[in-house]
Structure formats: C-alpha cells, structure tokens
C-alpha cells in the first residue's frame, strides 16, 4: 500500500507540474489584462505604468522564470484584481466550496444509496417508477433554472428561506438543495442498476433460501458488493463540486472557488487562476487516492 | 422596592428593544452586482466601488450635484489665479475617521497619490491622464493647485478627487479606507458583505441612515428578489426584464451613450456621404421598447442631456433607407469604393441585449447596400480596435461602444473621442481640434455655447459617428425608503441622501 501511495503521489506531482506549466502559458495566450483593469479613457502612460508594475512588459519566459522561482517558495504571487496574495483569496474561497461539497455529497450519498437500493428491490414497482422518474428529471434539469425557480417559489412567494447569502443555517438550504438534485439523480440510478445486478446473483438467492430477511439482504449482503461502481460515480460528482459549483455559487452569492476561478479567468487575474487550479487539483488528487483506498477496503480482492 | 426594581428593569428593557428597533429601521441594505475587489478611494470611479466609497466614506474636493452643477464639498470656494493655477479654500472643522484634522496637506497628498506612478489609480488614469498636477500649500486650509497644461475645468476635475489622510501609503492600496465622509468603514467580510456606520463627528448634517450593509449578487433576478422579500432595500442596476413592479422599480437615464465610432481615415468611411448613409440606414426608434428598454433616448451627441452644452436643437437622423441608398450610389459614381467590406465590431456583455442590437444594426446596414460583417469581441480584443494605436493594416471599421459621462461636462468625453490625438478618436480634423480646445478653455455661458456648437459640427457637418442611444438604467427600491435613483446612481449612492417613509 505504501509503495502504491508513493507512486500515486509522484504521478500526481508530475501531473500537477504539467498542469501548472500548461495553464501558465495558455492563460498568457488570452492576452494583456491591462485593458480590463484600466478605464477605456486611460492614457497610454497609465497603461504602460500598469504593465510595468505587474511585470507584463517582461518576455514570457522571464515571467515564467519569476513565477517558478516564487512557486518554489509557495508564493503564487498577488492578485491583480484584489491586491492580496492569490493563495489567500483561493484558500478563503475553497473553504466555502469544501463545506458546500461536503454537506451536499453527504446528503446525496446517504439518500441515493437508501432510495436506490429500495427501488432495486422491487424493480418495476410503484416506488421504483416514481424514483426513476424524479431522478431522471433531476439529473437532466439545468441547475440555473432550478435555482431561480426555487428562489421565486420558496423565498419570494412562500417566504420560507432567504433568497441567497451565507449568514445562517437557513441560507444553506436552497443552495444545498439545488446542488443535491443532479448528483442524487445520477448516483441513485447507478445504485439501482448495480443493486439489481447484485440482487440477482447466486449468493443473494442462497441467502434468501436460507431465510435471511430483506433488510440484511439489501444493506449487508447486497450493498457492499454493489458499491464499487457507485464509488466511482461519487468520486466523479464530488470532483465536479470541488471544482466549484459556479452556477449555484453565482446565483446564491456563495463566495466559492468556482466563481472565483471564472471571475479570475474573465479578468485575466493570472496568479489567482493558477493558484485556484493548483488547490483544486491537489484536492482532487487527494480525493482520488482516498477512493482507491476505499476500493481496497470494500473489496478485499483488490490489493495494491 | 422589589416592585420598583421590576419597573426600572422593564423600562430599561423597553428602551433597549425600542433602540434596537430604531437602529434596525435606520439601517439600509444595498445589494450590488459585483463584489468589490478593492475598497480604495482612488479607485472610486469604478461604479461598484464608488457606490460604497464615494461621498459615503471618502469625500471629494468639489461635487457635481444633478440639477445644481458644481457645488462645494471639502472645498468651500475656489478662484482662478491664472497660469493654470486655482486656489481652493478648504472647509474648516472637518476631521477624518481616525480623528486627525483635515488640512491642505491631505489634499496635496491625495492628489500626489492619485496621479503618481507608485500605484495605478483609476481616478488618476481616467481624469488626469496627460495632465501634470502640482500643489502649493498656502496655509492650513488654502491650497493652490496647478495643472499643466492649464485646465479651465480644474474645479470640475476636483469633483473626482477623493481625499484621504496624508498618512495614507503612496505605494499600496488601503484595505480600510479612511475619509471625512458621513460613514466609517467598519468591516469587510470578503465574499459576503461590507458594513458602514455613521461617523459621529461628521461636519455635515446628521443623516437618517445610521448604518448600511452591502451585499453582492451577480444575478439580476436574485437582486430584485432580495428587495421584493425585504432582504435588501436598494438594488441598483437590475436588468430590464426584472424591473416588473412599478411600485418599487425606477427607470432613469444612466449617463451611458451608445454609438458607433467611425474610422474616418479609411475608405469608404472617409466620405461624408457614406457616413450620412450609415446614419440614415438605422431605424433607431425601432430599438426602443423592443431590444432596448422603454425610455431609451435617441442620441445626437456623446454626452447625455443633463450635460453642459447639450444641443437640444439637433435632430437624430431619421430612418430613410431610400436616401441612404441614393447617397451610396452618388459616392460610388464619384469613385468611392462603397462596396468595400466594412467590419462592425461589438463588445460582448457591453450592455443588455448587445448582440441583438448589433445584429439588427448589421441587418439595417446590409439592407441599404453596405457590404458589412459583424464581429463580437471580448473587452480586451475590442479595446485593441477601439483605442489607439490602431493597427496599420486595418480595414474600414465601425466600433460599437458605450460611453459614460455622469460628470456634467463634455470635456470628460470630447477630447478622448474627437480630438485628432484622442485615444478613441476616429477623426483627424484641425477645425474640430480648435473647437474642442476653445470650449475646453472657456467658462460660463461661453463654454456652454462652444460645446453646443461643437456637438452641432460633429453631428450635422462632418457626420462624425453614428450616434445611437442614451441608455436608461433600472433600480429597485424598497418602499420603506424615500429615495429616487438619479443619473449619479450609476457611479455613486450617497447614503446621507436617503430617508425613510
């Protein structure tokens, strides 16, 4: 296991270096950010002064050299837009995204696994049909539309929850609910399909023949074996959330890393873009390693 | 005794609750479309920064008041001393939020910091580019400010100059702005909110609003919903489709003017008949109430009607496609290459429905016979086409732009847009250069007349550009407030001007 983790860490580090180099040069290809930061009427002298202050007049390779030498000291540079260290801005935003992702995925996993397993137990039954219908609708509905409709219905018309923001527990209800819908639909379908396959296997039939009750059959014998493909999809959905739920963050005013990244790309705030990509990439690498470990825990046949 | 204690406790409790309720009532929440990246007073010409900082935290030397023109603020009077120098007499008894007294040294420091080269301040870049400003402190409350080249509108320019204490660092932006305004900057929870509260030692009248919270939501529908639910009191700058409630939603001229900048140096656009044909090809009225909001005004000049020297006698070009075709035929008969491919350049996200507007314009130009194609650029690429230096190998281009002038004087616009060496000028006309220089140097009624003549010359004689629209903005205001947005709401939101119904 230790050698596996070592190899994964080295592979991740190489990928990370490649990613940073690629993003550095690709982001510079988008052009000079001066026009975005100064007013249209700004004089040529002001523009030149701005470029000089932010090192934009240096040749690209010199900029890259400076960036790498700073990065070795874990200095991602300062945000042009915010006049603060880029890493500070990213870590602050990432904390919000991490909370949002953890809460949402916890709820999604618990509910999708339970509901998907129960649906698989009576395939074609009323419960199965209803859950399949709503999970497919949820998985395919655009979240920007759901978010706006939810605000109009639950905040403006019913007045149950705040429209947006982060002040209280009530503020989390709508964003978590909107983020919940899509991964819930997808994971529920995978759990259902996997469980249908497992529940038809010989050892489940044997358990039934021995008189084992339904609940242990589903949640003890069946679920553990059905979880491997589910974990893969959970990892995929969690990675998407860690990258930032841009639409939900934007609409509900959540100061997460997805919105920060998009704003920084649009503003050509290169230091923040690179820091954000670095932090989310590290988080995703760590999560993938955890998923690999989880595979081995769930299935003793898997050894690294 | 026990009974008396109970009464005292009840009275204290009641007054505490009443006090809290009153404080709550005297608090306003403003929801802005974009989070502030910095809270630096010298960047307050950016609209979202200005709505928090300008005249609330940091005050300017002078102030433009809609309907009243230039008014005193931190300066009580000013006098032209000749040779480009103006003497400003400063208000006495004013203190900064840190307790220090406001003096001429603070004004000198603020000017040096805003126009200096250690930080790039938007106010310096936007209003003082190419102007060398020096100061001479006469006494504690008198300062001479000299502009080179001389600026007859220096007092007007000083309406953009935010004043900070002399101790403010020259080489970095502040994270906690300190000014002389009626509100102190209390806290910035990045990503969440900014709070201000009333400054007890403010030199002016006691405002009704005692504290304010600024929230940030980029979606217009959410901002309007927040006012509808009472979570916010003011949502400046909501989209037209969200301004659906006449009881709470205000439309007002937002000081933005949309036009097509014509490049006079390249054929066929160097022919006045072609430029007139462009103007006659556009059915401006058809845009109003359809892709653009009701209340949008047809433009004849670069600045909105509230600006000094606005020429109300000018008529927008009517929609006359037949005459446009005739003009093109006449030009073609004289050898003008009217069938040259012209590029119409728009900027994505420039204003609501910009793409629909640009596509409709393209269709109208093509209908009268122009060989034209549309290209939509994001801001940096668009800027390359809009501002000098222009590409040597460029073809004939029309660049769609939206220009903001809420400052009340055309000088903030005309040099940049029409002088031969103006940064965004497509015109090389010595006569126009002289007219702009004369109007810039004049004062009073003569200034008004000269600007008016300049607008007429550009619009009627040289057919400078394709002027399109003076835009309107929409804001939603909670009915508990007595506040009506004005043209200034585009760039500032003075809490002290808000009262409660």
């Amino acid at each position: 296991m230790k050698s596996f983790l070592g190899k994964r860490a080295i592979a991740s580090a190489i990928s990370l270096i490649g990613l940073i180099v690629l993003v550095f040069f690709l982001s510079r290809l988008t052009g000079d950010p001066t026009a975005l930061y100064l007013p249209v009427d700004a004089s040529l002298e002001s523009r030149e002064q701005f470029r000089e202050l932010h090192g934009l007049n240096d040749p690209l390779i010199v900029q890259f050299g400076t960036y790498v030498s700073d990065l070795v000291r874990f200095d991602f540079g300062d945000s042009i837009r915010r006049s603060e260290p880029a890493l500070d801005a990213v870590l602050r935003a990432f904390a919000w995204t991490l909370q949002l992702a953890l809460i949402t995925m916890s709820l999604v996993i618990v509910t999708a696994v339970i509901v998907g397993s129960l649906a698989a137990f009576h395939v074609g039954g009323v419960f199965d049909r209803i859950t399949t219908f709503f999970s497919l609708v949820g998985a395919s509905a655009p979240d920007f539309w759901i978010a706006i409709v939810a605000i109009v219905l639950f905040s403006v018309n019913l007045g149950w929850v705040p429209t947006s923001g982060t002040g209280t527990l009530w503020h989390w209800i709508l964003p978590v609910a909107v983020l919940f819908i899509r991964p819930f639909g997808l994971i529920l379908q995978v759990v259902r399909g996997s469980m249908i396959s497992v529940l038809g296997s010989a050892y489940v039939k044997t358990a039934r023949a021995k008189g084992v009750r339904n609940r242990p059959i589903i949640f003890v014998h069946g679920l553990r074996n059905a979880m491997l493909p589910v974990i893969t999809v959970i990892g995929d959905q969690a990675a998407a959330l860690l990258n930032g739920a841009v639409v939900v963050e934007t609409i509900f005013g959540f100061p997460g890393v997805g919105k920060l990244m998009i704003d920084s790309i649009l503003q050509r705030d290169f230091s923040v873009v690179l820091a954000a990509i670095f932090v989310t990439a590290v988080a995703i690498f760590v999560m993938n390693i955890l998923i690999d470990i989880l595979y081995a825990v769930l299935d003793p046949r898997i050894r690294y | 005794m026990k009974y008396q204690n109970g009464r005292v406790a009840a009275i204290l409790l009641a007054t505490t609750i009443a006090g809290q309720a009153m404080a709550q009532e005297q608090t306003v929440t403003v929801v802005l479309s974009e989070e502030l990246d910095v809270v630096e007073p010298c960047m307050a010409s950016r609209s979202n920064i200005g709505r928090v900082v300008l005249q609330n935290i940091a005050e300017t030397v002078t102030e433009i008041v809609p309907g009243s023109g230039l008014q005193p603020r931190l300066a009580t009077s000013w006098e032209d001393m000749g040779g480009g120098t103006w003497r400003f007499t400063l208000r006495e008894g004013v203190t900064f939020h840190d307790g220090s007294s406001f003096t001429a040294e603070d004004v000198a420091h603020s000017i040096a910091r805003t126009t200096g080269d250690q930080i790039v301040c938007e106010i310096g870049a936007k209003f003082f580019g190419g102007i060398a400003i020096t100061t001479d402190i006469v006494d504690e409350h008198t300062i001479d400010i000299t502009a080179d080249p001389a600026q007859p509108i220096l007092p007007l320019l000083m309406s953009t100059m935010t004043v900070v204490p002399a101790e403010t660092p020259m080489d970095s932006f502040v994270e906690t702005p300190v000014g002389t305004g009626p509100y102190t900057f209390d806290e910035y929870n990045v990503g969440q909110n900014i709070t201000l509260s009333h400054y007890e030692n403010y030199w002016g009248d006691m405002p009704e609003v005692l504290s304010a919270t600024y929230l940030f939501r980029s979606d217009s529908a959410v901002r309007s919903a927040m006012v509808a639910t009472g979570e916010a009191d003011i949502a400046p700058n909501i989209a037209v489709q969200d301004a659906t409630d006449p009881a709470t939603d205000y439309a007002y001229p937002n000081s933005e003017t949309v036009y097509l900048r014509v490049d006079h140096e390249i054929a066929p656009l160097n022919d006045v008949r072609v430029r007139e044909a462009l103007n006659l090809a556009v059915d401006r009225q058809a845009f109003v109430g359809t892709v653009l909001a009701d209340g949008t005004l047809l433009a004849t000049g670069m600045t909105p009607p509230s600006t000094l020297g606005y020429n109300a006698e000018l008529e927008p070009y009517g929609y006359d496609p037949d005459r446009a075709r005739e003009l093109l035929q006449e030009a073609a008969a004289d050898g003008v290459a009217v069938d040259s491919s012209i590029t119409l350049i728009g900027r994505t996200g420039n204003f609501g429905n910009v793409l629909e507007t640009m596509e409709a314009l393209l269709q109208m130009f093509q209908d009268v016979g122009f060989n034209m194609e549309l290209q939509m650029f994001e801001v940096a690429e668009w800027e390359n086409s809009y501002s000098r230096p222009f590409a040597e190998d460029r073809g004939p281009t029309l660049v769609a732009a939206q220009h903001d002038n809420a400052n009340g004087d055309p000088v903030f616009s005309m040099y940049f847009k029409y002088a031969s060496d103006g940064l965004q000028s497509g015109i090389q006309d010595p006569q126009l250069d002289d007219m702009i220089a004369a109007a810039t140097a004049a004062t009073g009624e003569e200034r008004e007349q000269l600007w008016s003549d300049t607008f007429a010359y550009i619009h009627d004689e040289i057919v400078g550009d394709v002027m399109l629209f003076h835009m309107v903005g929409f804001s939603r205001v909670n009915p508990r407030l007595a506040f009506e947005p004005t043209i200034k709401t585009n760039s500032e939101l003075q809490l002290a001007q808000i009262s409660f119904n």
Side-chain angles (χ1 to χ4, degrees), chain B residues 458-470:
Chain B
I458 294 169
H459 187 263
D460 288 348
E461 290 194 40
I462 63 170
V463 195
D465 288 320
V466 182
M467 298 312 304
L468 294 171
F469 310 107
H470 298 304

Side-chain angles (χ1 to χ4, degrees), chain A residues 82-279:
Chain A
R82 293 167 180 264
S83 293
E84 67 171 333
L87 195 58
D88 289 1
V90 170
L91 290 177
R92 188 173 54 236
F94 189 70
W96 285 103
T97 296
L98 200 59
Q99 289 179 67
L100 201 58
L102 278 176
I103 293 170
T104 307
M105 284 313 291
S106 303
L107 292 172
V108 165
I109 292 167
V110 170
T111 48
V113 166
I114 293 172
V115 175
S117 301
L118 293 174
F121 196 69
H122 291 295
V123 179
V126 176
F127 184 74
D128 181 34
R129 285 168 191 265
I130 291 171
T131 53
T132 300
F133 174 77
F134 282 108
S135 64
L136 289 176
V137 169
S140 49
D143 42 11
F144 69 88
W145 179 80
I146 295 176
I148 295 292
V149 169
I151 287 172
V152 171
L153 184 62
F154 296 109
S155 301
V156 178
N157 292 337
L158 297 173
W160 289 352
V161 283
T163 56
S164 53
T166 54
T168 65
L169 195 62
W170 294 103
H171 287 91
W172 289 75
I173 292 176
L174 281 187
V176 168
V178 171
L179 269 185
F180 173 91
I181 292 171
R182 185 188 294 251
F184 171 75
L186 285 172
I187 293 170
L188 186 149
Q189 285 302 309
V190 176
V191 170
R192 179 182 172 275
S194 185
M195 281 295 283
I196 289 170
S197 164
V198 167
L199 292 177
S201 60
Y203 73 90
V204 171
K205 287 175 183 165
T206 306
R208 278 191 173 135
K210 283 166 66 182
V212 178
R213 285 181 302 170
N214 287 341
R215 190 178 297 175
I217 285 179
I218 297 172
F219 293 111
V220 178
H221 299 281
L223 194 57
R224 182 166 177 173
N225 288 295
M227 280 306 280
L228 287 184
V230 176
I231 285 171
T232 308
V233 178
I234 288 172
D236 185 49
Q237 293 297 307
L241 286 184
L242 284 176
N243 263 321
V246 178
V247 171
V248 167
E249 287 173 5
T250 302
I251 290 179
F252 291 106
F254 250 73
V257 79
K259 184 169 186 311
L260 177 70
M261 214 183 308
I262 293 295
D263 288 347
S264 304
I265 291 168
L266 293 174
Q267 296 276 334
R268 293 186 189 148
D269 198 348
F270 301 134
S271 302
V272 177
V273 173
L274 280 156
I277 286 173
F278 180 86
V279 168

Side-chain angles (χ1 to χ4, degrees), chain B residues 371-401:
Chain B
N371 176 14
M372 197 176 288
E373 61 166 5
L374 171 64
Q375 291 191 2
M376 295 298 293
F377 291 152
E378 60 87 44
V379 60
E381 199 175 357
W382 169 86
E383 176 78 21
N384 289 335
S385 303
Y386 186 48
S387 294
R388 291 178 184 276
F390 302 135
E392 287 292 329
D393 58 348
R394 69 191 186 282
T397 54
L398 302 175
V399 181

Side-chain angles (χ1 to χ4, degrees), chain A residues 30-33 35-47 49-51 53-54 80-84 92 96 148 151-152 155-157 159 161-167 171 249-255 259 266-268, chain B residues 34-38 43 46 115-122 124-126 129-130 173 175 188 190-192 216-219 221-222 225-226 228-229 231 347 378-383 386-389 403-404 412 416-417 423-424:
Chain A
T30 60
D32 181 359
L36 297 169
Y37 289 92
L38 293 185
V40 166
D41 300 336
S43 64
L44 292 174
E45 295 81 29
S46 300
R47 286 164 200 273
Q49 183 191 344
F50 180 89
R51 290 191 190 100
L53 272 177
H54 294 286
I80 301 177
R81 187 166 158 245
R82 293 167 180 264
S83 293
E84 67 171 333
R92 188 173 54 236
W96 285 103
I148 295 292
I151 287 172
V152 171
S155 301
V156 178
N157 292 337
V161 283
T163 56
S164 53
T166 54
H171 287 91
E249 287 173 5
T250 302
I251 290 179
F252 291 106
F254 250 73
K259 184 169 186 311
L266 293 174
Q267 296 276 334
R268 293 186 189 148
Chain B
E34 191 183 351
E35 191 182 352
L36 276 67
D37 37 21
V38 291
M43 300 291 283
R46 277 194 197 162
T115 59
D117 58 4
Q118 294 188 53
I119 49 175
V120 179
C121 289
E122 176 143 330
K126 187 169 184 175
F173 285 166
E175 291 178 7
Y188 188 1
V190 176
Q192 297 178 73
F216 317 107
R217 304 286 184 271
S218 36
D219 193 280
V222 176
M226 288 177 75
T229 58
E231 289 174 46
R347 172 179 157 185
E378 60 87 44
V379 60
E381 199 175 357
W382 169 86
E383 176 78 21
Y386 186 48
S387 294
R388 291 178 184 276
H403 174 63
D404 174 27
F412 294 107
F416 289 112
K417 307 300 177 193
L423 200 60
Q424 288 98 30

Side-chain angles (χ1 to χ4, degrees), chain B residues 217-283:
Chain B
R217 304 286 184 271
S218 36
D219 193 280
S220 166
V222 176
R223 292 198 300 279
S224 8
M226 288 177 75
V227 178
T229 58
E231 289 174 46
D233 297 303
I234 303 175
N237 188 26
I238 60 171
V240 58
Q241 64 268 24
D242 297 317
T244 52
D245 186 350
T248 57
D249 300 339
Y250 293 85
Y252 55 96
N254 67 1
S255 75
E256 302 276 7
T257 300
V258 172
Y259 76 113
L260 303 181
R261 202 277 312 283
V262 180
D263 187 342
H264 288 222
E265 293 176 40
I266 310 278
L269 302 176
N270 57 358
D271 189 286
V272 70
R273 290 165 295 187
V274 175
R275 297 197 295 272
E276 191 176 345
L278 284 169
N279 273 282
L280 293 170
V282 178
D283 185 358

